[in-house]
Amino acid sequence: MKPILTVQHIAKTYNMRDGIVYALNDVSFNIQKGDFVSITGPSGSGKTTLLLTLSGLIRPTSGEILFENQNLVNASDKELAEFRKKHVGFVMQNFSLIPYMTAIQNVMIPLGLNGKTSSEQKTLSSAVLEMVGLENRQNHFPRELSAGQQQRVAIARALVNKPTIIFADEPTGNLDPSLSTEILEFLQTINKDLNITIMMVTHSPQAADYGNVKIKLIDGKINNKN
Ligand SMILES: Nc1ncnc2c1ncn2[C@@H]1O[C@H](COP(=O)(O)OP(=O)(O)OP(=O)(O)O)[C@@H](O)[C@H]1O
Ligand SMILES: [Mg+2]
């Protein structure tokens, strides 16, 4: 089967006053549609940089990234923005909800960017909030929700555009163990039932075990030896 994502020899360097930092250094791997990929590694090993690069938010310094047949390295800014709108959902550790918008308004944001009418936005967002079990919390502001509920709103927002792939950067990093399990089970359901590919960064070995593919980074390089 042709991979959904082909990553070949990518590097990302930053020129700093005291020398060049290799955030990613010759990273290569393939991901199949429907994979649940966990990415682990020490702080500073390049995990966030990898997610940002694969989601088209930053460009690698060198190397190739193919998403299906689209070359993300040569793509124009406009093509990358289209790629993100169409294919990518992003979930972060701190939920990154807009504080002055209600749960449903937060979920509606990507639909507005995709040109859906406001009644379409409401219907679709409401359905996804129901899927994550928050049908009774649609009009709550983030501060009126628990941490686990806030993360579920963030997942609903990542899901509402029916993305091909969800990138999650430490989605359980700010949650206690039982809420972490709830979010991980939920990501697993999305992965299995909707066949959405997931790439998740985590510090937790238990969370990493949810992945059928495991990538370990050390100093910007893949290190899959134990
Ligand atoms: N914009 C930037 N400018 C300069 N250096 C950067 C920049 N972004 C990241 N780096 C460096 O690249 C390396 C990888 O950073 P990255 O954020 O990807 O690590 P990480 O594995 O996500 O770490 P953490 O677990 O702490 O989130 C680090 O050494 C970091 O200092
Ligand atoms: Mg990080």
Side-chain angles (χ1 to χ4, degrees):
M1 210 168 67
K2 198 172 166 1
I4 189 170
L5 201 56
T6 307
V7 178
Q8 286 179 327
H9 306 296
I10 57 167
K12 177 69 187 174
T13 57
Y14 292 102
N15 292 310
M16 306 306 283
R17 282 171 303 278
D18 40 0
I20 296 181
V21 173
Y22 273 85
L24 296 172
N25 188 351
D26 196 18
V27 170
S28 303
F29 55 84
N30 290 333
I31 299 301
Q32 304 293 338
K33 184 164 175 59
D35 276 344
F36 191 141
V37 184
S38 61
I39 302 166
T40 54
S43 180
S45 59
K47 304 180 299 296
T48 297
T49 306
L50 181 62
L51 287 197
L52 295 176
T53 310
L54 299 182
S55 57
L57 286 163
I58 61 175
R59 289 173 191 274
T61 312
S62 59
E64 291 288 332
I65 304 171
L66 290 179
F67 178 83
E68 293 171 337
N69 288 323
Q70 187 179 5
N71 184 324
L72 296 186
V73 177
N74 298 342
S76 66
D77 288 350
K78 190 158 170 260
E79 286 165 341
L80 281 183
E82 279 301 311
F83 158 74
R84 285 197 300 273
K85 270 202 296 197
K86 200 158 161 222
H87 292 291
V88 173
F90 218 105
V91 179
M92 317 212 201
Q93 177 174 8
N94 58 8
F95 323 138
S96 62
L97 298 175
I98 312 263
Y100 54 83
M101 289 180 140
T102 60
I104 189 160
Q105 287 169 338
N106 267 284
V107 177
M108 284 162 60
I109 296 169
L111 296 171
L113 296 174
N114 260 352
K116 296 268 193 271
T117 67
S118 96
S119 79
E120 286 171 325
Q121 290 178 34
K122 283 193 187 122
T123 314
L124 287 166
S125 301
S126 199
V128 181
L129 281 169
E130 195 173 328
M131 237 179 87
V132 301
L134 291 178
E135 57 276 20
N136 301 324
R137 294 289 184 277
Q138 303 198 23
N139 297 314
H140 285 230
F141 288 94
R143 65 171 182 279
E144 299 165 343
L145 296 168
S146 72
Q149 289 170 336
Q150 289 182 50
Q151 193 57 305
R152 280 188 278 155
V153 174
I155 292 174
R157 184 177 59 188
L159 265 180
V160 74
N161 265 339
K162 303 193 172 65
T164 316
I165 182 160
I166 289 186
F167 295 100
D169 197 351
E170 300 222 33
T172 60
N174 280 336
L175 303 177
D176 68 31
S178 76
L179 284 180
S180 295
T181 305
E182 180 191 304
I183 293 296
L184 289 164
E185 298 280 331
F186 191 66
L187 288 172
Q188 190 168 55
T189 306
I190 293 168
N191 174 247
K192 295 256 180 306
D193 294 0
L194 307 178
N195 201 26
I196 294 178
T197 307
I198 296 189
M199 293 194 78
M200 175 182 76
V201 166
T202 182
H203 273 118
S204 144
Q206 295 93 310
D209 279 342
Y210 279 75
N212 67 304
V213 176
K214 295 181 186 176
I215 293 177
K216 289 184 198 155
L217 287 176
I218 293 183
D219 285 340
K221 281 180 176 287
I222 290 197
N223 181 322
N224 277 351
K225 292 189 285 289
N226 279 310

